[in-house]
Amino acid sequence: MVTTRRLLAVFLSVIATTAFSKDEALTFVRAPVIEQNPNNRAPLVAFLKYAPSRPAIATVRITGGGETRELVFGPEVDSEVGLPILGLPADQRYEVVVSLHDPRVNARVSSRKLTYITPPLPAGRVDFPPMQLLAADVSLQEPGYFLLSVRRRALGRAIDLTPAQNRFMLDWGLLLAIDTRGRVVWFYESSDRIAGISRMKNGSILYNTADGVAREIDYSGNTKQQIVSKRARDSGETGLTVDAQVIHHLPHEMPDGNFLLFTAEQRRIENSFLDEFNPALPRGPRDVVGDTIAIVDKSTGQKLSAWDTFEFLDLNRIGYTEGTYWWTRGFPGSFDWTHGNGVDFDRKNDAIVFGLKFQDAVFSVDRKTKKINWILGEQTDWGKLTDRTLRPIGDPFSWPWRMHNPRVSGKGTIVVFDNGTHQARPPRPPKPAHQVFSRGGEYEVDTNARTVRQVWASEMTLTDDSCHAAAMGDAWRLPRSDNMLVIYGACMTMRPNITLSDLEIGPNAIPVNMLPYHSRVVEFTRTVPARKVFDLRLEDPHQLVSWQIFGGEKVSSLYPPSIIQKETVTTR
């Protein structure tokens, strides 16, 4: 419908070039009005509606909230449907003036000043995350908005949560856009727990739900399409169906518009490890979940290519797991063997780059041949893949452990959120949870020399301010400022005797999920040492609800590129 309207608007614009007399006045046939988005899932979006006497360029000047915003829309945007007004902080009063300009005859007309008040944020303590802004040096930040995937969690082991606690956790999700001053300027409330998110070329947001759906929404919160697993389809979800038991973690749009996805499959392994904390115990039959990285056709959902961990990796190479991750997602009792948690496309090398958390490694795989180009990570027990591992060089250097969301930066480096957890693989004992910390890390890979160098890290030592985020998180090298964005997804309570497994409790041990988490969004200068130019913390002051950020990124604009010609924001 929207596409048809746009085509009609362009057609009318062309007709207007010859149909309108130069002497005909440029006027408002219907005066401008501002209306709140009818979709209450994204209430900070507004629409400016009016009817011009003929198509014209529209300049919208918005003043309020300590800044002036100027937006320029082309004549092809349907003003009767509404010009989207995005990026205004909540609970603020604004004055708006729209000016029309027909450059063919230099005709201009302006509206009267309009007033618009953005709605407040949700008031309930459990419906919106409390935020504490610790630093915001706008002059040194990357321009734009922090786009975040936020979750909430009740305290308690996953296998012990009541039905009401599970609904509280699983039937809610939040996407947030926060400006450089720490203000919420857009949000989308979902009835699903949201995992990874990414911005698409058309300006839409693509995100995964916890129940195996990849969903594309526009800035108004309207669903444009869905990609579903077989399990999600069987549960009543509709959309492009992928031949996989489940879709999980981070979806990614390829340059040609197809989708790069993590899928997972459960298989019965007859001679499997039964306890990774005690690998010397006798083996036996066990259900094991492993990952497949698939490229999926954007129109049919058909797998165009797939890289199956069961086919390429050794089942005898295991890591320390979280115990019950897949238990609560439809695979009770299964062993979480690989736990893929982030995938990216390396356009320069035509390769797929992805992280397998419980292999403690980032992989690069040739898209066409499926050959492993390199493995960045802890070097033991790779067997026949040993020659694919990278040799560390330079000082300082630290391997990433149980990393999340590896990405290829614009400079060709590998940027990763290093959760830092355990810092060992079986049978070596893991480090205590309160003695390790998470960080953003950047690595330079030399494929020919088969070496890897650590070129930047947000932190180098454990301090009183360190965060150990045993799960989730994100890291980016930002394109304009060359700053580094690090998102600490779930900072645990730093105290002795914490166990990260819901199963391996032991004497005096406290499961990590029994204690509260908080999360952090930090933008650093890419210097040594790194300097914080933005620091935001999401935490319940009463520590009754755990606020987590699965991941996110920084975007230059909230507008789809096809909607707006120019956007300028100046601070008063």
Side-chain angles (χ1 to χ4, degrees), residues 376-388:
L376 190 169
E378 201 275 341
Q379 290 186 293
T380 58
D381 302 328
W382 286 107
K384 63 182 181 181
L385 297 178
T386 299
D387 66 339
R388 299 291 90 192

Side-chain angles (χ1 to χ4, degrees), residues 39-78:
N39 186 344
N40 59 14
R41 291 190 180 278
L44 290 184
V45 176
F47 288 94
L48 176 66
K49 298 181 179 181
Y50 60 89
S53 59
R54 63 177 186 262
I57 295 171
T59 299
V60 182
R61 187 176 180 86
I62 306 170
T63 305
E67 62 190 19
T68 298
R69 186 178 302 261
E70 189 169 277
L71 311 172
V72 180
F73 298 90
E76 70 280 358
V77 180
D78 191 340

